Amino acid sequence: MFTGNAQREEARHAINTYQDGGMSSATNGSEAARGQLRRPDGTPVRVLVVDDEATLTELLSMALRYEGWDVRTASDGLSAVKAAREFRPDAIVLDIMLPDIDGLEVLRRIHSDTPDVPVLFLTAKDAVEDRIAGLTAGGDDYVSKPFSLEEVVARLRALMRRAGRGSVRADAVLVVGDLSLDEDSREVRRGDTAVHLTVTEFELLRYLMRNPRRVLSKAQILDRVWNYDFGGQSNVVELYISYLRKKIDAGRPPMIHTLRGAGYALRPAE
């Protein structure tokens, strides 16, 4: 999917495009504002991604983690079978062409242990025979390369819901003090005042509100909000924290606190 020396930059651009597009579509109300899927015990759904192309695997993992899902990867068939037994995924993204055993054999071995786990096959654009073989062997759906991240996420959601593997959270509203954030409608309020945030500001605030009173380092914030390292340019975190403060704390008792040398914490206003 991504080739040449610019693989990583293309992947980063793709995940940023996905984040912007995904958040925009959620704001516009499509797909029930993209509620987060959870297992019956309240933990995130688990997805195993199997592909021998490292950049593609990284890209898919970023997109699925952005959904709040727990993701594990494997680069060959035998590793995938072992990971499935240990990880017990709720869905599997599986490339048909793998370096050791092919995806059809991987599917057979996994289904011998967990026959009801849904599988989304990745196939070449014109590989009609592969698609037919995958579906005949027990695969639940497929996408052809190159594909859109939105399509993969949407198909996985549909597969897991049909299989009863995940349900949409009922507790979509995060509340810390007089600050509330609705993860479904993307609405933020401080007291009775609506707060309008950009895509990245919303993600940063959501991460802070999911971890109230907890000190989060710049490295943790970069990894969770931006999904990759900015090459040491952690000042981007300082910049967006300042943006949030202007919108959340301006003219009010502060909620966002800086702990020098440690990171940032969100606390109810005193």
Side-chain angles (χ1 to χ4, degrees):
M1 185 176 177
F2 294 95
T3 59
N5 295 330
Q7 281 185 335
R8 184 169 294 275
E9 287 307 313
E10 289 183 35
R12 289 179 177 180
H13 173 73
I15 193 66
N16 283 335
T17 300
Y18 169 71
Q19 288 178 338
D20 290 343
M23 288 289 287
S24 296
S25 65
T27 302
N28 291 334
S30 64
E31 201 193 334
R34 214 187 63 189
Q36 190 180 78
L37 291 180
R38 294 274 176 173
R39 305 181 110 199
D41 62 2
T43 60
V45 292
R46 299 175 181 178
V47 179
L48 174 63
V49 177
V50 186
D51 198 293
D52 61 340
E53 188 177 343
T55 304
L56 176 57
T57 303
E58 179 185 5
L59 179 64
L60 279 170
S61 298
M62 286 179 180
L64 302 184
R65 289 189 179 108
Y66 177 72
E67 295 296 313
W69 301 348
D70 191 0
V71 181
R72 187 171 294 184
T73 64
S75 59
D76 59 66
L78 294 176
S79 298
V81 174
K82 180 180 179 182
R85 288 173 180 159
E86 296 174 350
F87 186 49
R88 314 302 289 185
D90 298 294
I92 300 173
V93 180
L94 179 59
D95 190 11
I96 285 187
M97 300 300 294
L98 295 170
D100 49 3
I101 58 175
D102 65 27
L104 300 178
E105 178 61 18
V106 172
L107 174 65
R108 187 190 70 78
R109 296 189 188 188
I110 290 176
H111 271 183
S112 69
D113 184 43
T114 51
D116 58 344
V117 61
V119 174
L120 176 68
F121 271 117
L122 304 179
T123 69
K125 183 177 181 180
D126 300 319
V128 178
E129 297 85 358
D130 285 347
R131 294 180 220 161
I132 295 173
L135 295 174
T136 303
D140 299 272
D141 202 351
Y142 70 87
V143 291
S144 300
K145 300 178 184 180
F147 49 77
S148 74
L149 295 173
E150 290 90 344
E151 180 183 11
V152 172
V153 170
R155 288 180 182 272
L156 283 172
R157 281 179 170 274
L159 288 178
M160 286 189 282
R161 282 174 172 160
R162 286 204 303 266
R165 290 279 180 153
S167 58
V168 179
R169 290 171 316 121
D171 56 335
V173 179
L174 302 176
V175 179
V176 178
D178 64 348
L179 180 65
S180 65
L181 179 149
D182 191 318
E183 295 186 281
D184 287 352
S185 69
R186 271 32 186 192
E187 294 177 345
V188 177
R189 305 189 72 85
R190 176 85 192 261
D192 295 326
T193 305
V195 180
H196 301 286
L197 302 178
T198 66
V199 170
T200 304
E201 290 168 354
F202 183 93
E203 283 304 299
L204 175 55
L205 181 61
R206 175 160 65 174
Y207 184 44
L208 292 172
M209 292 187 71
R210 282 181 176 175
N211 297 274
R213 300 181 184 274
R214 179 183 173 191
V215 179
L216 301 171
S217 70
K218 291 179 182 178
Q220 287 175 307
I221 294 172
L222 278 173
D223 179 66
R224 178 59 185 87
V225 178
W226 281 270
N227 287 295
Y228 56 83
D229 187 1
F230 264 74
Q233 298 182 25
S234 58
N235 60 322
V236 69
V237 177
E238 298 175 12
L239 181 64
Y240 274 88
I241 287 289
S242 71
Y243 292 159
L244 273 187
R245 280 186 169 132
K246 290 176 182 177
K247 296 183 177 183
I248 300 297
D249 288 344
R252 306 180 181 94
M255 296 185 66
I256 301 172
H257 302 271
T258 301
L259 285 85
R260 298 295 178 188
Y264 303 93
L266 182 79
R267 299 169 183 158
E270 298 179 353

